[in-house]
Amino acid sequence: MQLIKFDIFYKLFILFIILLLIEGFFHHYYFVLSLSIEFLPISDQTGYNSVIWAENGLVELLQILFLLISIFLLIKFLKIVSKKLHIYLRVIIFFYLIGVTYYFFEEISWGQHIFGWGTPEFFSKINHQNEINLHNTSSIFNELPRNLLMIWCSLSFIFIKTVSFKYKKLRFLILPFLKLRFISILILIFFVPDFIIDKFDLAPGHPAKNDHEIFLNMLFEMISFNFVRFSELLELLFNYYVMSHSYYLVKFNSNLK
């Protein structure tokens, strides 16, 4: 039954991602499409749809929802397994919970996005987006946690296969359900093209100097899915993985006996 549930939710999530990409493609390239397709009204519309991709848009709200669900699931898991795990394993899960909780509050700027209060002078001076959070103050608080999250969500199943574990319970905590690897693979499918294009500086960049560079920019945008807000798309995938991981920790906690 658990396998069927995972397959259903995974397929629905993939369908949702596909719909997001179709809408993003249409919105971003509408100007080009409107010049090529007769029945479309000509418009200079481009970029991403703010209703979906902007601050407090659909994608960000889903990210927050996934994290909130994860927090409750991890709290429940800790209560269930309090006597089943050695203290050091409980500490690992506790810090995992702390990390997810910190991530959640950073995403809502510690309540600012919900309650709309102003930004104190201290944060106004150091925060790039004039918000109450740390991840917009420096790369240490942004790129480092993001890269660690990327490794956790995309490479855990590879780590499990290549490393020999003395403690089976630790192996379970890292990957409580083998099918989580399909979410990891999905993350890698999106991440790798963007990483390669960026690492090897393949795209000419903007502004383009000629039609050839315009074509290359569009091509690499499509390949790397940068016709949407790619960072937000990745975060959505990360948060879906964290929520699924937390869910299967709770569901299969009997494996810790």
Side-chain angles (χ1 to χ4, degrees):
M1 190 65 181
Q2 303 299 337
L3 301 180
I4 295 174
K5 283 186 177 181
F6 177 87
D7 291 342
I8 290 173
F9 286 120
Y10 184 66
K11 288 174 182 176
L12 287 174
F13 184 71
I14 289 179
L15 177 61
F16 176 69
I17 295 296
I18 291 171
L19 292 175
L20 282 181
L21 293 175
I22 292 172
E23 190 284 333
F25 181 89
F26 184 78
H27 196 280
H28 185 78
Y29 294 112
Y30 183 85
F31 176 64
V32 176
L33 294 171
S34 67
L35 293 177
S36 307
I37 303 173
E38 288 187 9
F39 63 82
L40 289 178
I42 295 176
S43 170
D44 61 355
Q45 174 183 295
T46 188
Y48 59 82
N49 187 339
S50 59
V51 174
I52 296 175
W53 298 100
E55 291 288 327
N56 299 317
L58 174 63
V59 169
E60 189 168 281
L61 290 175
L62 280 175
Q63 292 172 13
I64 292 168
L65 177 62
F66 289 169
L67 290 175
L68 188 59
I69 293 171
S70 301
I71 290 169
F72 284 112
L73 288 170
L74 289 172
I75 292 172
K76 182 177 181 180
F77 178 69
L78 276 173
K79 288 182 178 178
I80 292 172
V81 302
S82 59
K83 295 181 180 179
K84 294 180 182 179
L85 292 179
H86 190 278
I87 182 64
Y88 81 89
L89 293 177
R90 273 180 278 167
V91 168
I92 290 174
I93 294 299
F94 177 75
F95 277 105
Y96 183 31
L97 171 61
I98 293 298
V100 174
T101 304
Y102 166 79
Y103 181 19
F104 168 76
F105 280 109
E106 277 287 294
E107 284 298 296
I108 62 172
S109 292
W110 299 87
Q112 186 178 37
H113 289 178
I114 298 172
F115 302 106
W117 50 54
T119 304
E121 185 179 353
F122 171 76
F123 280 100
S124 293
K125 290 180 179 179
I126 64 172
N127 191 284
H128 306 315
Q129 294 187 8
N130 195 35
E131 295 177 331
I132 306 173
N133 57 53
L134 293 175
H135 70 272
N136 286 325
T137 62
S138 76
S139 58
I140 293 176
F141 292 112
N142 186 28
E143 296 304 321
L144 179 59
R146 185 182 181 83
N147 290 336
L148 291 174
L149 191 59
M150 174 67 201
I151 292 169
W152 167 251
C153 295
S154 63
L155 301 179
S156 290
F157 76 103
I158 297 175
F159 181 72
I160 285 294
K161 282 189 173 183
T162 55
V163 176
S164 176
F165 285 88
K166 181 179 179 181
Y167 300 104
K168 290 183 179 180
K169 290 182 179 181
L170 178 58
R171 181 188 180 94
F172 169 80
L173 294 181
I174 296 173
L175 196 70
F177 186 41
L178 189 57
K179 280 206 169 186
L180 287 172
R181 72 186 187 278
F182 292 118
I183 305 176
S184 298
I185 292 169
L186 183 64
I187 292 171
L188 291 171
I189 288 171
F190 282 99
F191 173 77
V192 171
D194 179 74
F195 177 78
I196 292 173
I197 291 169
D198 182 63
K199 191 71 174 177
F200 293 97
D201 200 20
L202 299 179
H206 298 281
K209 297 176 182 178
N210 49 54
D211 289 344
H212 178 67
E213 289 193 355
I214 291 174
F215 170 77
L216 287 178
N217 278 334
M218 289 181 64
L219 176 64
F220 287 125
E221 272 180 351
M222 293 178 197
I223 293 172
S224 62
F225 305 99
N226 273 283
F227 50 85
V228 296
R229 287 188 71 187
F230 184 72
S231 61
E232 295 298 325
L233 176 62
L234 266 189
E235 285 182 20
L236 181 65
L237 295 169
F238 293 160
N239 295 358
Y240 177 66
Y241 181 92
V242 171
M243 181 182 68
S244 300
H245 177 268
S246 304
Y247 173 76
Y248 287 107
L249 280 177
V250 174
K251 276 294 178 183
F252 297 136
N253 72 87
S254 59
N255 290 346
L256 291 171
K257 289 181 180 179

